[in-house]
Amino acid sequence: MTLKTQLDIVTSPIITDKTTKNIENNTYYFNVIRKSNKKEIKRVIEELFNVKVKKVNTLNIPPKTKTIGRFKGKITRYKKAIVQLHEDYKISLFDNE
């Protein structure tokens, strides 16, 4: 698999208050494409960040309707991957780590 397709599977990390708290437990959250499976996600994370993955959980987030003033729109559906690493490994998502 080439680097371009690896970056196509894992689109971006999810950075929120909850996810930054879980970094202490070696748990990281990523947006991934909806067609990917757990084995592909595990292999891509291990190759991209040079870490050893312990467990991968996935969630399909359904589309949500949002209203801003009188306008209604939808947030697209996506897939979230929760990746837990072994104790000896870390992923540096921020510059100061």
Side-chain angles (χ1 to χ4, degrees), residues 26-89:
N26 272 353
T27 305
Y28 297 87
Y29 293 73
F30 295 96
N31 283 333
V32 295
I33 61 171
R34 291 184 302 137
K35 293 182 180 179
S36 61
N37 58 26
K38 292 181 182 184
K39 290 181 183 179
E40 288 176 342
I41 295 168
K42 179 179 178 178
R43 186 173 42 79
V44 167
I45 294 293
E46 286 179 346
E47 289 176 5
L48 279 177
F49 297 107
N50 198 19
V51 294
K52 189 74 174 166
V53 175
K54 185 176 185 180
K55 184 169 66 168
V56 176
N57 292 332
T58 58
L59 291 138
N60 284 313
I61 307 298
K64 297 179 182 177
T65 304
K66 290 285 188 173
T67 304
I68 298 175
R70 61 182 181 157
F71 302 104
K72 286 189 177 182
K74 286 205 172 208
I75 295 177
T76 59
R77 61 185 181 172
Y78 63 96
K79 191 172 196 176
K80 182 193 299 187
I82 303 169
V83 178
Q84 187 174 13
L85 304 179
H86 286 282
E87 293 84 20
D88 300 336
Y89 296 95

